[in-house]
């Protein structure tokens, strides 16, 4: 990655001027970044600082431009195209100058990370929030040499092929974003992860601070009103406070109540595809991109609470009267023939029929067909709730059909 950076005309140290907030973790890192962005946006409106806030996240839901935002807005199509080809041409010209193959380019995520740095540098961003892609230690974003602050969200088991199968191995990778003499924060973690994070912090000369749920957060209109979201918001408070102080903006002293800008920022923050509800006639679509065992449990609990509020009755034995399982179009680690024949999906369907013989289970190959099927079945019915979960790719596809437009432009 450092070589790619050099070939487009930068040194990693050049990015220090972006005053970066770097966030890793398994669950909630995108939401935490969105909270930090929203808090900074409110301070920008009041004080003029930061002047330009960059936000780099992944994956996108609909349009790739969602990944690279300035002052909360995805970069325009024209700017994206302009800077895309500047990076592309810089890679080709440097390859030719060095006698290298100009056809060799960074893989998708690395290219987009390069592009984000180039966009933010050219557009004069003075504070940037970076979400790690996978892991931390070897992630493309981890060429950042001197971030203003780093943060670790809740850890769990995910990306085991790359990061390992134990929480200790995963914690090692995540802590790779710690940088010497740069403040570092982590939410409270499962016990197995704690000594690994502490050891990594010590190795890197970092004083790791553990963030507990902020006592004032219970007075804030957090959406959804769930404890895991308060954990994310509390970490965002610590990160935003650090970067604001670095910029010379007075915020709060320890133990002081949250300033209005924090309260408003947390309440107004929007991070689509995460615990999102969307009403369409008699249908309430409950949409969450959960894709790990832990996050799916959280999504299920959230959906149950939404359904309870809508029907005002207890669900002691909650069942799904209809379950739809879709084809996985983006899994590069699975056999193509198995994906084409829906082998895994049919296996899941058979398992669900064993778990609940009364449920109607359908395996449908495309998102468009599944959305249409649900709409057809729900005609002339009472109020119903639909849970959409399993991946952010699925969530993005469903939202595109529900809204019929590229919401990155809105």
């Amino acid at each position: 990655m450092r070589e790619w950076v050099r070939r487009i005309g930068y040194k990693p140290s050049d990015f220090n001027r972006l005053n970066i907030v770097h966030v890793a973790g398994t669950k909630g890192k995108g939401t935490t970044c969105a909270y930090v962005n929203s808090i900074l946006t409110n301070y920008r409106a009041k004080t003029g600082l930061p002047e330009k806030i960059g936000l780099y996240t992944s994956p996108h839901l609909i349009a790739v431009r969602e990944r690279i935002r300035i002052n909360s807005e995805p970069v325009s199509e024209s700017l994206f195209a302009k800077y895309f080809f500047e990076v592309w041409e810089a890679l080709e010209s440097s390859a030719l100058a060095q006698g290298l193959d100009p056809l060799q380019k960074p893989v998708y995520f690395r290219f987009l990370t390069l592009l984000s740095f180039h966009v933010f540098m050219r557009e004069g961003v003075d504070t940037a929030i970076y979400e790690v892609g996978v892991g931390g230690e070897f992630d493309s974003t981890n060429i950042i040499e001197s971030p203003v602050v780093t943060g670790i969200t809740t850890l769990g088991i995910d990306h085991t092929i790359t990061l390992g199968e134990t929480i200790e191995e995963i914690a090692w990778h995540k802590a790779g974003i710690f940088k010497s003499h740069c403040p570092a924060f982590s939410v409270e973690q499962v016990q197995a992860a704690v000594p690994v994070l502490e050891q990594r912090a010590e190795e890197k000369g970092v004083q790791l601070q553990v963030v507990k749920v902020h006592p004032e957060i219970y007075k804030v209109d957090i959406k959804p009103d769930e404890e895991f979201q308060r954990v994310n918001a509390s970490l965002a408070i610590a990160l935003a406070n650090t970067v604001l102080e670095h910029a010379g903006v007075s915020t709060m002293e320890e133990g002081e109540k949250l300033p209005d800008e924090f309260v408003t920022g947390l309440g107004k923050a929007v991070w689509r595809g995460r615990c999102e509800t969307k009403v369409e006639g008699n249908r309430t679509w409950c949409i969450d991109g959960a894709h790990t065992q832990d996050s799916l449990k959280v999504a299920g609990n959230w959906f149950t609470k939404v359904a309870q509020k809508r029907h005002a009755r207890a669900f002691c034995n909650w069942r799904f009267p209809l379950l739809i399982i879709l084809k996985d179009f983006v899994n590069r680690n699975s056999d193509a023939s198995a994906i084409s024949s829906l082998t895994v999906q049919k296996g899941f369907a058979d398992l669900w029929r064993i778990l609940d013989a009364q449920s109607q289970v359908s395996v449908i190959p495309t998102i468009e067909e599944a959305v249409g099927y649900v709409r057809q079945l729900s005609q002339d019915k009472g109020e119903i709730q639909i849970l959409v979960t399993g991946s952010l790719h699925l969530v993005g596809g469903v939202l595109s059909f529900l809204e019929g437009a590229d919401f990155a432009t809105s």
Side-chain angles (χ1 to χ4, degrees), residues 35-221:
Y35 277 142
V36 174
N37 179 72
S38 188
I39 293 169
L40 297 185
T41 298
N42 276 272
Y43 272 93
R44 175 175 173 269
K46 177 183 178 181
T47 68
L49 294 174
E51 292 184 22
K52 281 192 175 182
I53 306 164
L55 177 63
Y56 179 65
T57 59
S58 61
H60 59 273
L61 295 180
I62 303 296
V64 67
R65 296 179 294 107
E66 298 167 35
R67 297 180 182 228
I68 305 173
R69 299 173 184 254
I70 297 177
N71 293 338
S72 302
E73 294 297 325
V75 294
S76 66
E77 290 183 353
S78 59
L79 275 183
F80 186 90
K82 172 188 174 182
Y83 291 131
F84 177 97
F85 284 109
E86 285 183 1
V87 171
W88 187 271
E89 290 166 5
L91 291 170
E92 295 213 326
S93 62
S94 62
L96 291 171
Q98 298 173 52
L100 303 174
D101 182 359
L103 295 179
Q104 289 190 346
K105 298 290 192 305
V107 294
Y108 183 74
F109 184 76
R110 287 183 181 178
F111 188 94
L112 289 176
T113 303
L114 286 173
L115 179 60
S116 74
F117 285 123
H118 182 59
V119 170
F120 293 160
M121 294 291 284
R122 289 291 302 273
E123 289 295 306
V125 164
D126 56 348
T127 298
I129 306 154
Y130 268 79
E131 177 189 4
V132 166
V134 175
E137 177 70 32
F138 303 116
D139 187 69
S140 300
T141 64
N142 205 31
I143 58 165
I144 300 165
E145 291 187 346
S146 185
V148 172
V149 62
T150 60
I152 307 291
T153 65
T154 302
L155 299 181
I157 304 298
D158 196 14
H159 300 292
T160 54
I161 294 176
T162 303
L163 306 181
E165 298 183 352
T166 68
I167 200 69
E168 292 89 345
E169 292 173 298
I170 290 169
W172 186 92
H173 280 275
K174 305 294 183 180
I177 68 168
F178 294 160
K179 300 296 187 299
S180 179
H181 307 300
C182 296
F185 296 89
S186 171
V187 303
E188 293 183 299
Q189 304 288 355
V190 295
Q191 186 54 44
V194 173
V196 179
L197 294 178
E198 291 177 343
Q199 181 180 353
R200 292 281 273 159
E202 183 178 353
E203 291 170 354
K204 293 173 176 287
V206 172
Q207 183 178 355
L208 178 62
Q209 302 176 63
V210 177
V211 177
K212 297 185 178 181
V213 174
H214 196 287
E216 292 286 314
I217 206 72
Y218 294 95
K219 302 175 184 177
V220 180
D221 184 21

Side-chain angles (χ1 to χ4, degrees), residues 88-391:
W88 187 271
E89 290 166 5
L91 291 170
E92 295 213 326
S93 62
S94 62
L96 291 171
Q98 298 173 52
L100 303 174
D101 182 359
L103 295 179
Q104 289 190 346
K105 298 290 192 305
V107 294
Y108 183 74
F109 184 76
R110 287 183 181 178
F111 188 94
L112 289 176
T113 303
L114 286 173
L115 179 60
S116 74
F117 285 123
H118 182 59
V119 170
F120 293 160
M121 294 291 284
R122 289 291 302 273
E123 289 295 306
V125 164
D126 56 348
T127 298
I129 306 154
Y130 268 79
E131 177 189 4
V132 166
V134 175
E137 177 70 32
F138 303 116
D139 187 69
S140 300
T141 64
N142 205 31
I143 58 165
I144 300 165
E145 291 187 346
S146 185
V148 172
V149 62
T150 60
I152 307 291
T153 65
T154 302
L155 299 181
I157 304 298
D158 196 14
H159 300 292
T160 54
I161 294 176
T162 303
L163 306 181
E165 298 183 352
T166 68
I167 200 69
E168 292 89 345
E169 292 173 298
I170 290 169
W172 186 92
H173 280 275
K174 305 294 183 180
I177 68 168
F178 294 160
K179 300 296 187 299
S180 179
H181 307 300
C182 296
F185 296 89
S186 171
V187 303
E188 293 183 299
Q189 304 288 355
V190 295
Q191 186 54 44
V194 173
V196 179
L197 294 178
E198 291 177 343
Q199 181 180 353
R200 292 281 273 159
E202 183 178 353
E203 291 170 354
K204 293 173 176 287
V206 172
Q207 183 178 355
L208 178 62
Q209 302 176 63
V210 177
V211 177
K212 297 185 178 181
V213 174
H214 196 287
E216 292 286 314
I217 206 72
Y218 294 95
K219 302 175 184 177
V220 180
D221 184 21
I222 294 291
K223 298 183 184 68
D225 183 18
E226 300 286 349
E227 193 65 15
F228 73 86
Q229 204 71 313
R230 296 187 188 97
V231 170
N232 295 330
S234 298
L235 177 59
I237 290 169
L239 299 175
N241 186 55
T242 303
V243 76
L244 285 166
E245 287 184 347
H246 180 80
V249 179
S250 177
T251 56
M252 58 184 175
E253 298 178 0
E254 186 175 354
E256 187 180 353
K257 75 171 188 175
L258 285 175
D260 290 342
E261 291 79 11
F262 279 77
V263 174
T264 303
L266 293 171
K268 284 186 174 181
V270 175
W271 198 232
R272 301 212 58 183
R274 285 80 169 177
C275 294
E276 178 176 354
T277 57
K278 188 170 184 63
V279 177
E280 182 192 47
N282 65 324
R283 296 175 289 272
T284 299
W285 297 84
C286 300
I287 301 168
D288 188 85
H291 56 280
T292 69
Q293 182 174 335
D294 291 337
S295 59
L296 284 166
K297 288 179 182 178
V298 170
N301 289 335
W302 164 71
F303 177 60
T304 300
K305 290 180 181 179
V306 172
Q308 287 174 337
K309 289 179 181 178
R310 304 291 292 188
H311 290 283
R313 65 183 177 88
F315 286 78
C316 297
N317 294 295
W318 179 244
R319 291 175 51 250
F320 290 86
L322 171 68
L323 182 73
I324 297 175
I325 301 174
L326 297 170
K327 181 177 180 178
D328 186 350
F329 288 95
V330 296
N331 193 338
R332 304 290 189 269
N333 297 317
S334 296
D335 179 67
S337 62
I339 293 176
S340 178
S341 61
L342 300 170
T343 302
V344 174
Q345 288 74 14
K346 290 174 181 176
F348 285 149
D350 290 340
L351 178 59
W352 196 273
R353 292 186 184 100
I354 294 172
L355 294 172
D356 186 355
Q358 298 181 54
S359 288
Q360 176 186 342
V361 185
S362 299
V363 178
I364 296 178
T366 70
I367 294 172
E368 182 177 15
E369 290 175 86
V371 170
Y373 187 49
V374 170
R375 285 172 169 166
Q376 181 181 7
L377 287 177
S378 59
Q379 289 180 355
D380 303 321
K381 297 279 176 53
E383 188 175 326
I384 66 168
Q385 287 78 43
I386 306 106
L387 174 62
V388 179
T389 192
S391 84

